[in-house]
Amino acid sequence: MNDQLFANAFGLEDVIAWARIDLETGIRCQRALLDLTAVDAKDAVGCTCRQTFYLEKAIAWIWEDSNAVPRAIIALENEGIIVYPTDTIYGFGGDATFHRVVKKINTIKGRSSPMSVLAPNVKTALSWMNIPSNSLDDISNVLGGKTTVIVPVHIGIVQSKILGDGNTLGIRIPDHPFCHQLSNEYSNPIITTSVNRTGQLPKTTPEDINLEFGHEVDLFIEHGNIEGIAST
């Protein structure tokens, strides 16, 4: 998301709520007042408040903030990449119907392979699937929480680049309030894949995520340290 698109999407009145991350020390300034005509940490004047903070090019919100989901939706609609909390680990997210988004996430992770998506509820997840009707009950019983189901889906549900063999797609319904609200309010499937470079362990702390990926993502929804095990 370039600076002009960023400014248009988030509104200049919101810029006063950003805060800056010192990318060398990982120390968070609690809030910063920025020049309303600029989206640049160099114009920051430090102050105190923990509602939001400014990364090198990404904006971060505490997941419980009432603006977190609306801002995530704006980022997704504008082909942005987000980092967000799940019930297991942090995930990279983006609109799974946009080719550029899939390419961006693969570039960040340094690979090209299938990815999973969030579903808001069992009914929606089942509507995406291209499976025999007598299998629906079995799938319904395992959907939810830390489990990802990999099933054939209908053509056009997501970009083909994130599908596996046989037009299969990983689908999960994380047990996290932010994921529930975002996936229910956003109309398209949302990518969910671990926050790491290929071959490395997932990042579990906001500080590590900021240092490694702050300049490559557009929005970070923070929920402290998340040291779970990736969905299976």
Side-chain angles (χ1 to χ4, degrees):
M1 187 180 294
N2 61 40
D3 287 350
Q4 186 60 52
L5 177 57
F6 167 86
N8 291 342
F10 286 88
L12 291 178
E13 70 276 7
D14 293 321
V15 175
I16 61 171
W18 306 160
R20 186 174 64 84
I21 293 295
D22 183 328
L23 294 179
E24 291 188 2
T25 65
I27 297 173
R28 180 181 310 154
C29 297
Q30 296 302 316
R31 192 174 182 182
L33 296 178
L34 303 187
D35 184 329
L36 292 183
T37 63
V39 185
D40 190 334
K42 293 177 182 178
D43 299 317
V45 178
C47 65
T48 59
C49 176
R50 192 178 182 273
Q51 185 172 8
T52 58
F53 56 88
Y54 184 83
L55 304 181
E56 188 177 80
K57 290 200 73 172
I59 295 299
W61 293 79
I62 306 305
W63 76 273
E64 296 170 303
D65 190 284
S66 61
N67 289 306
V69 168
R71 291 307 187 264
I73 290 173
I74 290 171
L76 294 174
E77 289 175 338
N78 286 280
E79 301 187 4
I81 307 302
I82 68 173
V83 171
Y84 62 97
T86 76
D87 55 347
T88 55
I89 56 178
Y90 278 105
F92 284 124
D95 188 316
T97 68
F98 290 144
H99 173 75
R100 287 180 60 189
V101 168
V102 173
K103 184 177 180 180
K104 285 180 188 178
I105 293 178
N106 276 328
T107 297
I108 291 171
K109 289 182 70 75
R111 52 89 154 140
S112 180
S113 60
M115 290 184 277
S116 299
V117 298
L118 301 182
N121 49 61
V122 172
K123 181 179 179 180
T124 299
L126 293 178
S127 74
W128 296 341
M129 299 178 190
N130 186 14
I131 59 176
S133 57
N134 59 7
S135 299
L136 295 177
D137 286 343
D138 292 337
I139 295 295
S140 298
N141 291 334
V142 298
L143 268 171
K146 298 176 173 61
T147 301
T148 299
V149 299
I150 300 175
V151 292
V153 294
H154 298 293
I155 300 296
I157 297 296
V158 296
Q159 277 290 318
S160 61
K161 291 291 186 181
I162 72 170
L163 296 171
D165 294 339
N167 214 61
T168 54
L169 176 67
I171 302 172
R172 68 178 302 234
I173 307 174
D175 187 18
H176 190 288
F178 178 82
C179 294
H180 281 308
Q181 186 178 352
L182 179 62
S183 59
N184 273 282
E185 294 187 22
Y186 193 69
S187 58
N188 293 334
I190 300 166
I191 290 170
T192 182
T193 183
S194 57
V195 179
N196 63 295
R197 311 284 185 194
T198 297
Q200 299 181 8
L201 294 174
K203 301 297 182 184
T204 61
T205 71
E207 290 75 19
D208 286 345
I209 292 170
N210 296 336
L211 289 168
E212 181 78 16
F213 300 109
H215 63 293
E216 295 180 271
V217 302
D218 302 288
L219 181 71
F220 179 25
I221 304 300
E222 186 202 340
H223 190 180
N225 295 356
I226 304 179
E227 299 183 5
I229 299 173
S231 173
T232 56

